[in-house]
Amino acid sequence: MTRVMDAVNTGTGKLLANLREIPASALPEADKVLRAITESRIGGITEIGKPGKPVLDAPVDNGKVGVVVYAGVNAMAAVEETGIKVKTYPISTIVDFKELKKLE
């Protein structure tokens, strides 16, 4: 269903994304943070909606703003696209960040 490697190699493909909601009152501050992230070339934000309005046809609660972000198992989807079989268990557990180790 994804085309992550196409997105990496050509700039056009299909990635997994999630809709997050933030309070509409937080939009000005969130906009500053999101702009700084984009300027840092971290990316990941695809769309910021208007208060209480659907984003990419996804409903958003009143008093909230929808923010669409690339998320999920995009990295593992890219691995799968190269022919390596993987099993993913999205949101199957939570790990304290301090327990993570650099892969070498």
Side-chain angles (χ1 to χ4, degrees), residues 13-34:
K14 293 181 180 180
L15 300 171
L16 300 168
N18 294 112
L19 175 67
R20 313 294 175 147
E21 289 186 350
I22 62 171
S25 61
L27 183 57
E29 189 63 27
D31 193 45
K32 289 179 198 173
V33 172
L34 298 175

Side-chain angles (χ1 to χ4, degrees), residues 49-55 58-62 64-66:
K50 305 274 186 224
K53 301 292 182 189
V55 178
V60 174
D61 288 337
N62 286 329
K64 304 282 180 118
V65 174

Side-chain angles (χ1 to χ4, degrees), residues 21-77:
E21 289 186 350
I22 62 171
S25 61
L27 183 57
E29 189 63 27
D31 193 45
K32 289 179 198 173
V33 172
L34 298 175
R35 195 171 312 128
I37 290 169
T38 301
E39 289 170 3
S40 298
R41 299 177 43 93
I42 294 172
I45 307 297
T46 63
E47 183 94 19
I48 300 172
K50 305 274 186 224
K53 301 292 182 189
V55 178
L56 302 178
D57 294 327
V60 174
D61 288 337
N62 286 329
K64 304 282 180 118
V65 174
V67 179
V68 180
V69 296
Y70 296 120
V73 293
N74 283 310
M76 291 298 101

